Amino acid sequence: MEPMIDDVFVTSLNSGTDCVQVYDIATGAQLKSYRGYPAAPSTLALVGTSCHLVCGQRNKSLLQAWNINRHDNLQMRLSIPGKVNALAVSPRAPYYCVVAISEKIYVYKMSCGGVSGVGDRHYQSVTHLTFTPCGNYFASGGADGFVYVWSLAAFNDALHKTHPPHISPHSTLGQHSDKVTGITITSGGMKGTLVSCSLDHTARVYDLATGRQVYSLITPSPLTAVTTNTLGSQVLLGSSSGRINVVNLLPPPTPGDILVGDAGSSCHEKAVTHIAVTASGNRVVTGSDDGEVKVWTVTSTSLGTNDTITTPHLAIQRTIHTARGTITNLCVLRMEREVVDDVDLDIREIIRPLSQDYTSSPINASVTVHTKPRTSSALNITPQYTSVGGVGKHNTKGVRNSNEDLLSQICQLQTANSQLYKFAIKHILKDDVND
């Protein structure tokens, strides 16, 4: 049995009480399900390394979360200011949750639940959010056609100012002439490429290092999903017709417009809503409005007998999920096989209830200061009280003498505690100054 497997996490429009299903790509077997409310589209995300699963609730101003190894959701109220359009979680600690509500983007720090800031550059609803692999930047696309890249450092910098400035995007990559339906970032992060697709029949490839557009892939049908392989050498485009085109970017073509024909693989009867590629790049998972999730392998077909250039195609392996409604979320995660089933797995809690107090200044928030541990031998305090073992000998004449002795002992203990406190404060402050 392999220690690491590729798991497919799926949500659909009419999923019932088990809103998230998990499948093994290699066998198609269902591994687990998570009980909860129907998930909002484009909101399913993993928090931490095999720790938590989180998504938005459809038509509600709430999020829901699970321990990765538990069937029932966490009994925690994760309320947000409105209905969620899109959601993404940073892949590295400290973990930030970025939530799109209408045209605004809210950034939460998950370890404390506080709001780091709000971005409002889009003038129509945000449709897609995705983080770079480093977790320091995230990209947003909206119904207005704009694609922005944001820096978490800008949100954290504004958080510690009494009058925070307006948070601006790190860069504006471009604007489609219609709604943005998908964004993907290659493993190179800010030194790699970003690909966005839109209903305007185009997918645009941007160089994140320069912020410039390199290619514009033009297709016959509106595009509804996009992804790349790990190296970014192949771009997979899903269309409203149910077809998927695989475009090779190696060797690099001439920068500019690239016409993509309608000779792609016919994968679904309705529009393709999600495409995901495994880390190895040899399997592709697709979801559609027809309610099916399918696993494919990438094959190549020669263009001619004497031509070495090949055209990638998709060959069906199996259908792993069939639902009565649209596939709303789909992601592929590589993890240990026993993680989803080990109920005794010790998971450190890294999610806190989300704060809705956007007006209070974080400068006035309470701060916990951790000091270095010390042993009792370092104190070396001389006792300031005497033995009370002989009290009984002088206590035979009545209760009055006993009360006086007890009061004397209390005073001695108070004096010793006061000296101990002064000693501790003196040495703690001295160590802090030296540090």
Side-chain angles (χ1 to χ4, degrees):
M1 182 177 293
E2 297 181 6
M4 301 290 290
I5 60 174
D6 291 315
D7 295 337
V8 183
F9 290 74
V10 179
T11 70
S12 57
L13 193 60
N14 300 311
S15 56
T17 56
D18 291 339
C19 63
V20 184
Q21 288 82 34
V22 186
Y23 298 91
D24 183 356
I25 287 183
T27 64
Q30 182 172 346
L31 302 177
K32 196 178 187 63
S33 63
Y34 296 91
R35 179 181 299 169
Y37 296 95
S42 302
T43 62
L44 186 65
L46 182 72
V47 183
T49 305
S50 303
C51 290
H52 300 284
L53 200 65
V54 65
C55 72
Q57 295 185 26
R58 191 173 75 239
N59 299 327
K60 291 185 179 181
S61 302
L62 294 169
L63 306 181
Q64 55 188 342
W66 299 265
N67 284 339
I68 198 70
N69 61 334
R70 297 287 181 175
H71 176 66
D72 295 319
N73 55 8
L74 295 175
Q75 297 302 310
M76 183 184 300
R77 187 172 180 84
L78 302 172
S79 58
I80 53 178
K83 298 177 182 178
V84 58
N85 303 335
L87 181 148
V89 176
S90 58
R92 300 178 184 273
Y95 298 105
Y96 288 86
C97 180
V98 181
V99 179
I101 301 173
S102 189
E103 71 279 359
K104 294 185 177 181
I105 300 173
Y106 295 79
V107 179
Y108 293 92
K109 189 172 184 179
M110 305 205 73
S111 60
C112 64
V115 182
S116 296
V118 182
D120 57 354
R121 179 57 65 92
H122 290 276
Y123 62 87
Q124 292 184 18
S125 295
V126 178
T127 58
H128 201 86
L129 296 167
T130 187
F131 268 92
T132 58
C134 66
N136 296 325
Y137 300 86
F138 65 91
S140 66
D144 54 8
F146 279 101
V147 178
Y148 298 111
V149 176
W150 304 79
S151 171
L152 281 181
F155 288 88
N156 290 329
D157 182 61
L159 180 68
H160 296 90
K161 296 183 179 179
T162 307
H163 302 288
H166 180 76
I167 301 176
S168 299
H170 176 73
S171 61
T172 302
L173 296 183
Q175 182 183 18
H176 290 270
S177 59
D178 207 334
K179 172 183 175 180
V180 175
T181 54
I183 295 177
T184 186
I185 299 175
T186 60
S187 59
M190 292 301 292
K191 294 184 179 180
T193 58
L194 178 147
V195 185
S196 63
C197 69
S198 170
L199 296 180
D200 64 359
H201 299 237
T202 66
R204 301 186 180 184
V205 182
Y206 298 95
D207 181 2
L208 288 178
T210 61
R212 296 179 180 179
Q213 178 179 318
V214 182
Y215 306 110
S216 178
L217 311 178
I218 304 173
T219 62
S221 303
L223 296 178
T224 52
V226 64
T227 193
T228 65
N229 60 0
T230 305
L231 297 176
S233 60
Q234 291 181 335
V235 180
L236 290 84
L237 305 173
S239 67
S240 60
S241 63
R243 305 185 73 88
I244 295 179
N245 289 280
V246 184
V247 181
N248 270 332
L249 295 182
L250 286 180
T254 303
D257 294 343
I258 299 176
L259 297 178
V260 180
D262 201 15
S265 305
S266 180
C267 299
H268 293 274
E269 296 179 357
K270 295 183 179 180
V272 178
T273 56
H274 294 85
I275 309 175
V277 181
T278 60
S280 61
N282 59 352
R283 288 191 178 99
V284 177
V285 185
T286 61
S288 170
D289 280 339
D290 59 14
E292 292 185 338
V293 176
K294 299 180 180 180
V295 180
W296 310 80
T297 56
V298 181
T299 61
S300 298
T301 303
S302 298
L303 296 179
T305 55
N306 297 324
D307 202 334
T308 58
I309 300 178
T310 58
T311 301
H313 288 278
L314 299 180
I316 184 68
Q317 275 194 336
R318 63 181 58 87
T319 299
I320 62 174
H321 178 84
T322 301
R324 294 175 296 173
T326 300
I327 301 301
T328 53
N329 291 279
L330 187 151
C331 60
V332 175
L333 303 174
R334 187 168 181 81
M335 60 180 59
E336 296 179 1
R337 181 182 294 272
E338 63 272 11
V339 165
V340 294
D341 293 325
D342 187 3
V343 296
D344 297 325
L345 183 67
D346 185 19
I347 294 180
R348 183 172 60 90
E349 194 77 26
I350 56 177
I351 297 180
R352 295 291 182 270
L354 303 181
S355 170
Q356 299 305 315
D357 187 6
Y358 303 101
T359 58
S360 62
S361 174
I363 297 178
N364 300 324
S366 61
V367 178
T368 302
V369 179
H370 299 279
T371 60
K372 294 185 293 184
R374 294 178 173 84
T375 61
S376 58
S377 60
L379 298 178
N380 194 22
I381 300 177
T382 302
Q384 300 297 321
Y385 54 89
T386 59
S387 173
V388 296
V391 171
K393 180 174 62 175
H394 304 284
N395 198 29
T396 58
K397 293 185 179 181
V399 180
R400 181 176 179 180
N401 291 338
S402 176
N403 290 338
E404 291 177 354
D405 290 339
L406 291 174
L407 291 175
S408 176
Q409 295 171 30
I410 292 174
C411 291
Q412 293 175 1
L413 291 173
Q414 289 176 341
T415 301
N417 288 338
S418 177
Q419 293 178 355
L420 177 63
Y421 174 78
K422 293 178 180 179
F423 177 87
I425 291 297
K426 178 181 177 181
H427 283 265
I428 289 174
L429 295 179
K430 181 179 179 181
D431 290 348
D432 290 343
V433 170
N434 293 335
D435 292 341

